[in-house]
Amino acid sequence: MNTPSRAADTAGPPSPAGDLAPAAAVPPAVPEPAQFVTWLRAVAPYIHAFRGKTFVVGVPGELIEAGRLNTLVQDLSLLHAMGMRIVVVHGSRPQVNEQLRLRGVEPQYADGLRITDPAALECAKEAAGELRLDIEAAFSQGLPNTPMAHASVRVVSGNFVVARPVGIVDGVDFQHTGLVRKIDIQTVRFALQSNAIVLLSPLGYSPTGEAFNLTMEDVAVSTAVALDADKLIFLAEPAALTTVDGELQREISEAEAHKLLRSERLAPDAAFLLRNALRACDGGVARAHIIPLQLDGSVLLELFQHDGVGTMLVEETLEELREATADDVGGILALIRPLEEDGTLVKRDRSLIEREVENFTVIEHDGVIFGCAALYAFPDEKIGEMACLAVNPKAQSRGDGERLLKRIEQRARAAGLKRLFVLTTRTMHWFLKRGFTLASVDQLPLERQNMYNWQRRSRVLIKQL
């Protein structure tokens, strides 16, 4: 998305026939049997977790223009075969621009949004109709010796989007550019329950019969929120968000996303995507992903690899999961004191927690601290310690421990750490189930080795981040 602005549509031209390699083409390298079995077993937990879940996938026109439609369709068909419910929202920005160019008309934008005059609306209709046919045709493939062999995918599309005009903003008349007013969610759900893939175009219709040109992002976010989707996935360029050091920012919270947008560090297109992803999470979507469109298989890599290949925005609220302040010391002490008394945690006095409170992350419900954990970094060794993990017994089995662990992992990655370790006497299996492996004391940072309590004989567990 290196164009001067984010148009009011995004999608692409017909995919070339050469996108699908013929059976006579050189096959990809086949992994060793043991490696293949290991890979297949590794994705099984994700398949179990995602079966029956609803994913909304936003496909920009740049992806289709680049000839990547067939490979994306193959990956989405695989997800569909695994039992996931898929809604595809395509865009048409480069295709509309090409149609305008052929007519000798210059595209018009204001504040990153296309001004859709009658000529641009006709181009948007033509592009959307052509792209819809191309996508439906791609899902209809069933050639032998291809990923689509034996596939029987049904695609449902229609006038599911009710829209309204943007109108006149700051003296600019956007004409036929619109915003989503409502999604016909009952029909969409019925189609998904009937084992069909739903395809939505960046066009909406008013009760008076007018057509409006929409952004792919607006349609995708509105659909994901209305469906209460489990994931919203944007394929995009730029592909993901990075830290100030240029490293991929794999996970960010809603609070961090707001801070990043306020910093104005992001390029306009990246900020546009993040705002829409944040709008989805604010609306109740559990996860929003921004992944690279140019990487083959990026949807599969993002879903079935632990670290993924893009940026995931996590639905959280600052009031529930946040970094601790001095005002939280009393709540942390009240939470950990019973665990110190029964020997689960090492005793810490109030002055120590007051000095180290910035290391703590807490979960707060209605003004009460229900969970906490601390991160102590050893930057020279690129490793950190997660300590003092505690959850109120009344709130256990709700996933708060898991959320604290994920936040500590996020903080560790943001600090440039590559590994995380814990010392535990009673909760070893909980950590083993979450990716930690047993280690020895001599694998700890030297400073931490010198502080190791040999009388407690805590188990050492380490996780790669």
Side-chain angles (χ1 to χ4, degrees), residues 241-250 252 260 265 413-415:
L241 308 179
T242 57
T243 64
V244 290
D245 298 325
E247 293 188 7
L248 176 64
Q249 203 159 356
R250 297 186 183 276
I252 60 174
L260 190 57
R265 180 173 65 83
R413 291 191 186 100

Side-chain angles (χ1 to χ4, degrees), residues 312-372:
M312 180 173 69
L313 180 61
V314 183
E315 180 194 14
E316 295 168 351
T317 58
L318 191 60
E319 293 75 19
E320 291 184 349
L321 181 63
R322 56 175 174 79
E323 273 54 76
T325 68
D327 294 335
D328 299 315
V329 172
I332 293 173
L333 284 169
L335 180 66
I336 67 176
R337 193 66 71 206
L339 297 175
E340 292 176 345
E341 291 173 354
D342 69 13
T344 301
L345 295 178
V346 176
K347 289 189 177 181
R348 294 170 172 82
D349 60 37
R350 185 183 185 95
S351 62
L352 178 64
I353 293 180
E354 286 177 343
R355 291 197 304 270
E356 300 177 344
V357 70
E358 70 275 4
N359 295 332
F360 280 78
T361 294
V362 297
I363 290 181
E364 179 188 41
H365 296 287
D366 295 328
V368 178
I369 302 299
F370 272 72
C372 70

Side-chain angles (χ1 to χ4, degrees), residues 83-384:
M84 298 160 212
R85 296 174 175 178
I86 306 297
V87 177
V88 178
V89 182
H90 77 82
S92 58
R93 178 170 60 94
Q95 291 69 40
V96 173
N97 286 343
E98 177 61 16
Q99 292 280 356
L100 288 170
R101 187 190 67 80
L102 293 174
R103 298 184 185 201
V105 179
E106 194 70 24
Q108 301 178 66
Y109 301 96
D111 294 328
L113 198 64
R114 185 190 296 279
I115 299 172
T116 309
D117 58 17
L121 180 61
E122 288 305 310
C123 293
K125 291 178 180 178
E126 288 184 23
E130 188 172 317
L131 288 167
R132 172 182 164 182
L133 291 175
D134 288 337
I135 295 171
E136 290 176 351
F139 275 111
S140 301
Q141 298 175 70
L143 293 175
N145 302 319
T146 74
M148 296 297 290
H150 309 298
S152 180
V153 181
R154 295 292 170 262
V155 178
V156 173
S157 57
N159 58 337
F160 302 150
V161 181
V162 179
R164 63 177 177 84
V166 171
I168 300 174
V169 181
D170 295 330
V172 177
D173 187 355
F174 283 89
Q175 302 185 51
H176 298 285
T177 299
L179 297 171
V180 175
R181 183 191 295 271
K182 182 182 177 182
I183 304 292
D184 183 359
I185 216 62
Q186 288 185 330
T187 305
V188 172
R189 281 206 180 100
F190 179 79
L192 293 174
Q193 291 167 0
S194 300
N195 202 34
I197 287 178
V198 174
L199 174 62
L200 300 179
S201 297
L203 291 174
Y205 310 95
S206 72
T208 60
E210 294 178 272
F212 292 100
N213 187 28
L214 312 174
T215 64
M216 174 271 286
E217 291 81 0
D218 186 22
V219 177
V221 169
S222 300
T223 304
V225 170
L227 276 175
D228 194 20
D230 299 280
K231 288 183 181 293
L232 170 64
I233 302 171
F234 283 131
L235 290 119
E237 183 60 52
L241 308 179
T242 57
T243 64
V244 290
D245 298 325
E247 293 188 7
L248 176 64
Q249 203 159 356
R250 297 186 183 276
E251 294 182 14
I252 60 174
S253 67
E254 290 186 25
E256 291 167 334
H258 282 294
K259 184 186 298 183
L260 190 57
L261 288 170
R262 286 195 299 268
S263 72
E264 299 184 350
R265 180 173 65 83
L266 296 176
D269 288 335
F272 178 83
L273 273 175
L274 182 58
R275 276 195 297 270
N276 278 280
L278 186 57
R279 185 160 68 93
C281 287
D282 285 340
V285 178
R287 299 286 187 270
H289 302 253
I290 301 173
I291 62 175
L293 66 82
Q294 76 276 12
L295 177 62
D296 185 31
S298 59
V299 173
L300 301 182
L301 293 169
E302 178 72 7
L303 292 178
F304 297 128
Q305 283 190 335
H306 176 70
D307 290 331
V309 293
T311 298
M312 180 173 69
L313 180 61
V314 183
E315 180 194 14
E316 295 168 351
T317 58
L318 191 60
E319 293 75 19
E320 291 184 349
L321 181 63
R322 56 175 174 79
E323 273 54 76
T325 68
D327 294 335
D328 299 315
V329 172
I332 293 173
L333 284 169
L335 180 66
I336 67 176
R337 193 66 71 206
L339 297 175
E340 292 176 345
E341 291 173 354
D342 69 13
T344 301
L345 295 178
V346 176
K347 289 189 177 181
R348 294 170 172 82
D349 60 37
R350 185 183 185 95
S351 62
L352 178 64
I353 293 180
E354 286 177 343
R355 291 197 304 270
E356 300 177 344
V357 70
E358 70 275 4
N359 295 332
F360 280 78
T361 294
V362 297
I363 290 181
E364 179 188 41
H365 296 287
D366 295 328
V368 178
I369 302 299
F370 272 72
C372 70
L375 173 66
Y376 296 90
F378 300 86
D380 292 341
E381 292 91 344
K382 300 289 185 182
I383 193 171

